[in-house]
Structures are given as C-alpha cells and as structure tokens.
Amino acid sequence: VSDEASGHRIGREALRRALWAFDGRAEKTALSMAILDRFGRDPAKIVRFASRATPALYAELSPLVFQYASAQDPLAVTLVRETAEAAVAIINRLVEAGAPAISLVGGLAAPLTPWLPSGIHDLITEPQSDALDGSILMARRAFLRQGAVQLRVG
C-alpha cells in the first residue's frame, strides 16, 4: 500500500492523467498522447487494462515516463518530480527513525536518483544485497525475536 515512489504509482498516474488529457481536463502532452496511442486512443481499452493490471504491468509504463521526462515533457516531469518528492519524504522519515543506512532498490532506483535533491544523495548508500535478501533477513530476525519471547513466556 505504500507505493508512493514506485513504478506502479508512476504508471497508474500516467494512465490516469492521459485519460484526463483525453477528456480535456488536462493539457495534452507528448507523453499523454504516446500513452493514448499505446491504447489506440480508446479510453475503454485503458479502463480494461486498469481492471486487470498488476503493479508490475503499471510499472512497465515507467520507462516511457522517464524517457519523456528527460525530454522535458510537462506531464512526465510532474510525475517524476512527484515520485522524487515521495521518495524524499520516505527517506527523511527513515533518517528521523534512525536508519543506519538507506539504499534505493528496485527498477526506479537508477532513473529516480538524478531527480532527488543533492542533499539526499549524501544519505544514500549502495545496497549490500537485493530486496529479497533484505526481506529474508527481516523475517529471520522477527522469527528469532518471537522464539526468544516464547522461551521466556513458555
């Protein structure tokens, strides 16, 4: 549920705002037109896609958004800046909570990094492993803590 800085969010928002442009509720940009073209300029196709889309399917649109952002497309720049702001909020909260290190992982790590403020760059370290290894480590630690509690209680 906390996907504010994800490819899923970028893709979902790109689709939503392309529909806004189709409806005349937002400016048409090269990115919105490219997305509409991908769906044959048929909003019903976008709605059908959205009804079955997984986060990974939405995320498949994020490279397109970054491509258009590098060309200064207004919609793409807005989407990437919003994502960078969300990442900054998460990073700042992790720093406040005392995180000893912060690493960006996933498909947006590399393309999003240049969009982050320079002060944030100083807080980011290279990951020691991938997200799956981190999840396993966290689960192991939680299991060991639970085992220790059961030993004391039991």
Side-chain angles (χ1 to χ4, degrees):
V1 274
S2 182
D3 70 342
E4 301 91 343
S6 71
H8 169 220
R9 181 194 174 277
I10 285 181
R12 187 184 67 236
E13 283 301 312
L15 279 180
R16 180 189 329 258
R17 295 178 196 195
L19 284 172
W20 291 354
F22 181 86
D23 291 341
R25 296 186 297 142
E27 171 190 358
K28 289 182 180 172
T29 72
L31 173 61
S32 65
M33 296 311 294
I35 291 170
L36 291 168
D37 286 344
R38 184 177 276 208
F39 292 92
R41 296 198 183 191
D42 183 352
K45 288 182 180 178
I46 294 175
V47 171
R48 278 194 299 278
F49 169 84
S51 71
R52 62 174 173 70
T54 62
L57 285 173
Y58 280 116
E60 288 178 4
L61 292 170
S62 64
L64 185 68
V65 174
F66 279 97
Q67 175 189 336
Y68 278 86
S70 69
Q72 298 303 305
D73 177 88
L75 172 58
V77 168
T78 296
L79 293 171
V80 173
R81 282 188 179 149
E82 288 173 356
T83 303
E85 289 169 6
V88 168
I90 293 167
I91 291 166
N92 285 337
R93 180 60 192 119
L94 289 170
V95 168
E96 290 169 9
I102 298 168
S103 299
L104 301 181
V105 295
L108 290 190
L112 189 60
T113 298
W115 293 84
L116 299 173
S118 58
I120 293 294
H121 289 234
D122 299 335
L123 302 173
I124 297 172
T125 61
E126 285 297 314
Q128 295 177 5
S129 194
D130 63 19
L132 179 58
D133 286 338
S135 298
I136 292 169
L137 178 62
M138 289 175 64
R140 184 179 298 143
R141 286 180 181 167
F143 177 77
L144 293 174
R145 277 194 306 270
Q146 181 182 6
V149 169
Q150 287 177 350
L151 286 175
R152 281 185 256 150
V153 173

